[in-house]
Amino acid sequence: MPSRPLLEAFRTAAPTVLLADSRVKVLGDDAYRKRTVCEARTWPDLNEFEEFNRVRIYLAEACPGKAGGN
């Protein structure tokens, strides 16, 4: 995942990060917890493979008392 370095940057910038991804099954960052999986489609329909219609929703929250996620 080319944007993997951004995962920590997001947590540093915000106390709560909600991330949706249809392509990466394992983020590789334990701070993000998978909350749910939804079926979704692009509009207009891009005729992507069916596996990309499964969107994973992840949540990362800062520890109490910390400004960022570190």
Side-chain angles (χ1 to χ4, degrees):
M1 177 172 147
S3 58
R4 191 164 276 146
L6 294 175
L7 297 176
E8 185 176 349
F10 294 153
R11 291 193 338 266
T12 301
T16 303
V17 180
L18 189 63
L19 177 76
D21 195 291
S22 64
R23 306 226 174 220
V24 178
K25 294 179 182 173
V26 178
L27 287 179
D29 188 324
D30 292 337
Y32 288 83
R33 302 284 180 209
K34 185 167 39 172
R35 304 301 292 182
T36 192
V37 179
C38 304
E39 292 292 322
R41 299 208 185 281
T42 57
W43 185 258
D45 187 0
L46 299 176
N47 293 318
E48 294 187 301
F49 295 114
E50 285 295 316
E51 68 181 281
F52 297 135
N53 293 334
R54 185 169 258 120
V55 179
R56 292 158 197 84
I57 308 295
Y58 298 91
L59 178 67
E61 295 181 293
C63 295
K66 288 191 174 183
N70 298 325

